[in-house]
Amino acid sequence: VGVGIRQSVLHMNANDVLEFLIAGASAIQVGTANFMNPRVCPEILEDLKSFMRKEKIRSLKEIIGSIKE
């Protein structure tokens, strides 16, 4: 298991999560961002859902590792 570290970890958002997923991550650690914004997880999830609806993506499995395609 590898963990990617971002300098912007305190201000993580759905775009950061999408980058990790596209690169092949199947789990993303948000932890520290909760100290800056206790609602960061629900916000990220809602933004991911919106992105997926807009792009007609049915499952995160379609995103994970998609940079390879």
Side-chain angles (χ1 to χ4, degrees), residues 8-65:
S8 64
V9 71
L10 295 177
H11 305 286
M12 184 170 269
N13 60 39
N15 289 334
D16 299 317
V17 171
L18 282 167
E19 286 181 21
F20 283 120
L21 294 171
I22 290 167
S26 58
I28 288 81
Q29 184 175 341
V30 178
T32 309
N34 286 294
F35 291 118
M36 296 300 288
N37 176 5
R39 293 207 24 84
V40 71
C41 288
E43 290 172 3
I44 288 172
L45 289 173
E46 189 54 44
D47 290 347
L48 283 175
K49 289 178 195 175
S50 294
F51 172 80
M52 291 173 69
R53 277 191 297 270
K54 178 182 167 197
E55 298 297 322
K56 296 179 176 55
I57 298 170
R58 295 176 156 225
S59 169
L60 285 177
K61 291 179 182 178
E62 295 177 44
I63 299 172
I64 296 171

